[in-house]
Amino acid sequence: MTIARAFWTVAPGRGELREERLAAPGAGSCLVRTLATGVSRGTEALVFDGRVPPSQYQAMRAPLMGGDFPFPVKYGYSAVGLLEVGLIEDGLIEDGPVADRPTRDELTEPGRRVFVLHPHQDRFIAPAAMCIPVPDAVPTPRAVLAANMETALNLLWDAAPLPGERMLVVGAGVVGLLTASLLARIPAASVTVVDLDPARAALARAFGCGFALPDAAPAEQELVVHTSASEAGLRLCLGCAAFEARIIEASWYGDTAPALPLGEAFHARRLRLIASQVGQVALPMRGRRSHAERLALALTLLADARFDALLEGPTAFADLPAAMPTILRPGGLCHVVDYGGG
């Protein structure tokens, strides 16, 4: 019997570490010892503050979370760890093309690094299908960005960017900057990142993008991506959009309801406002890529040292209850939680 410790949010703005007993992993599962987790600031801040609306309790459940909204809840989805007990045989690994599945050889050898959509916990059991091998070229701290990169990748699939388009990303948080970094790879694309914080200019430029403060945001943008989770940001997107532009809304507002000027130029410009959410594989790739394949691809995209600039911390796991309110302050990037041991 293994004793594990996990971070639980037990009241608005208050968390604690709780012990739990782990049974031996069953067929088709693995025991993982955590090396690092990442704090997904936008969603986790809403959960930590108890701002998940009741209508979204089921939709907002993370794959391996514990408890129930609003409290107590064990939440998170960016864990990197080592296999302590590899795949127990006779379990199904993953539907989909054989070439893109985690193989039995990858998941039966203890010591293999894997990424799992799991909350903050020092040891855990997970289905083998959810244990995605981390490429050797991706260091452990950077690998915690995989869930955010998966969101950015899905967003691009929803957006269908075209070579040569003028593109705007409003919101230079982690998802916004990851999205901008992928858009900048589109041939002849002109990508501008907009944020209230002028310090984000250096990050945007490091990824091959321009930068502007909101009052200097360029107009006539053909593809606009919104990640700031603010009404002002979404209004700016509408104002900067060109005729028949696509506006991809990647923000989630929790229990707030932004007001939009849909009676102004929205109809005359024939704008398209498209929701993008990572819970489903984007329609252009649905049926072609599984969730596991999408996550594996996101991990390979992190083989770029420039993404280290999006990491903050680390904070020791034992200190997480006291540190979480500060970690979740507005304006931060991806905070790494360190579990020691390699």
Side-chain angles (χ1 to χ4, degrees):
M1 188 75 68
T2 300
I3 302 297
R5 293 184 302 160
F7 176 80
W8 287 75
T9 299
V10 296
R14 184 164 66 87
E16 62 184 35
L17 296 184
R18 293 183 172 183
E19 289 190 348
E20 58 186 81
R21 295 180 181 272
L22 303 181
S29 61
C30 301
L31 174 63
V32 179
R33 176 171 64 83
T34 311
L35 298 174
T37 55
V39 178
S40 185
R41 203 172 246 102
T43 305
E44 289 197 53
L46 293 172
V47 173
F48 192 65
D49 291 338
R51 292 179 53 208
V52 178
S55 65
Q56 296 301 301
Y57 281 178
Q58 185 58 39
M60 283 305 299
R61 289 191 68 86
L64 297 173
M65 66 175 267
D68 294 290
F69 297 122
F71 309 107
V73 63
K74 178 174 68 174
Y75 196 83
Y77 43 79
S78 296
V80 180
L82 295 175
L83 294 179
E84 283 201 331
V85 177
L87 172 68
I88 305 301
E89 293 294 341
D90 299 324
L92 179 66
I93 292 182
E94 174 70 29
D95 292 329
V98 173
D100 295 311
R101 301 179 200 170
T103 67
R104 289 188 181 276
D105 287 344
E106 288 176 312
L107 295 178
T108 53
E109 182 179 353
R112 179 82 183 189
R113 285 188 308 150
V114 292
F115 179 92
V116 188
L117 295 166
H118 198 281
H120 308 284
Q121 184 166 323
D122 59 5
R123 279 179 172 82
F124 58 85
I125 294 169
M130 297 185 66
C131 298
I132 309 301
V134 176
D136 292 340
V138 180
T140 293
R142 194 190 310 156
V144 305
L145 290 167
N148 294 131
M149 179 61 90
E150 184 183 20
T151 299
L153 175 62
N154 205 59
L155 198 156
L156 256 72
W157 288 348
D158 276 321
L162 298 173
E165 282 194 305
R166 294 185 294 272
M167 305 175 185
L168 191 70
V169 177
V170 176
V174 174
V175 170
L177 288 167
L178 289 171
T179 301
S181 76
L182 297 182
L183 290 173
R185 302 183 188 189
I186 304 298
S190 172
V191 184
T192 303
V193 176
V194 174
D195 199 85
L196 291 166
D197 184 359
R200 295 294 164 90
L203 285 170
R205 291 173 183 137
F207 294 124
C209 305
F211 179 84
L213 294 172
D215 59 1
E220 299 300 316
Q221 301 296 292
E222 294 148 327
L223 174 60
V224 182
V225 176
H226 182 229
T227 65
S228 80
S230 70
E231 179 181 315
L234 187 49
R235 285 174 171 266
L236 180 65
C237 292
L238 294 172
C240 292
F243 180 72
E244 294 191 336
R246 308 180 309 289
I247 301 167
I248 314 299
E249 176 56 275
S251 301
W252 189 63
Y253 296 85
D255 57 1
T256 63
L260 298 180
L262 300 184
E264 296 182 6
F266 181 78
H267 283 282
R269 286 179 172 260
R270 294 174 54 89
L271 302 181
R272 283 176 283 171
L273 183 58
I274 302 167
S276 182
Q277 203 276 339
V278 75
Q280 297 291 331
V281 174
L283 186 58
M285 297 296 282
R286 196 173 304 160
R288 302 180 181 186
R289 299 292 184 276
S290 67
H291 287 78
E293 290 168 329
R294 184 182 62 183
L295 184 52
L297 178 55
L299 278 161
T300 66
L301 291 171
L302 290 172
D304 185 335
R306 292 180 298 173
F307 294 127
D308 290 340
L310 302 182
L311 302 175
E312 295 178 344
T315 291
F317 175 59
D319 298 332
L320 191 56
M324 189 63 97
T326 300
I327 290 172
L328 293 175
R329 71 191 186 284
L333 293 169
C334 179
H335 199 94
V336 179
V337 180
D338 179 63
Y339 293 72

